[in-house]
Amino acid sequence: MDRKQLMEKTRRSLTASGIGKTKDEAFGKALEAMRKQVYKDVEGMILKMEPLEVYLDEVHEEKEIEKFLFLFMPREKWTYKMTFTFVVEISYIARMN
């Protein structure tokens, strides 16, 4: 019986965006979107996913003033939309046919 190496490594560059009430929340959602994209693209069982580089491409900040009964207690609500480029090294087991 021949032995065959099943583990493979690949490096990919992915762009992902996230929207949140804070910059940390937007980054977390972008990271989650990147992970989902990797699982969708890679055929096989992923063993390790390691971000090697992270670049911030865009940041959009929106400020909205919210008032109770359109008159009282104004407060600011911020929404952040951030776009990142991730360079990820992926170790996975290729599909066995």
Side-chain angles (χ1 to χ4, degrees):
M1 179 172 181
D2 289 331
R3 292 178 52 178
K4 180 183 174 187
Q5 171 63 281
L6 297 176
M7 189 170 90
E8 295 182 20
K9 282 189 178 185
T10 185
R11 189 177 284 196
R12 299 215 176 160
S13 178
L14 302 160
T15 302
S17 297
I19 299 173
K21 295 178 184 177
T22 64
K23 290 180 181 179
D24 289 340
E25 183 180 348
F27 177 72
K29 289 187 178 182
L31 197 59
E32 182 180 331
M34 181 270 301
R35 274 190 299 239
K36 286 181 182 180
Q37 187 66 36
V38 168
Y39 277 106
K40 182 178 154 189
D41 291 349
V42 173
E43 291 187 20
M45 184 186 316
I46 295 176
L47 300 173
K48 181 179 169 187
M49 191 182 328
E50 180 180 0
L52 301 174
E53 302 169 21
V54 179
Y55 301 99
L56 178 60
D57 297 331
E58 290 183 57
V59 177
H60 292 285
E61 299 176 352
E62 284 186 26
K63 179 173 102 172
E64 180 182 332
I65 297 180
E66 186 179 77
K67 296 179 183 178
F68 178 69
L69 293 176
F70 303 103
L71 189 61
F72 303 106
M73 299 185 318
R75 69 176 182 172
E76 295 178 349
K77 283 180 69 175
W78 288 89
T79 303
Y80 299 93
K81 180 179 181 187
M82 303 173 80
T83 304
F84 297 90
T85 299
F86 298 94
V87 177
V88 183
E89 185 173 84
I90 305 158
S91 299
Y92 65 99
I93 302 293
R95 290 231 167 128
M96 297 173 272
N97 294 330

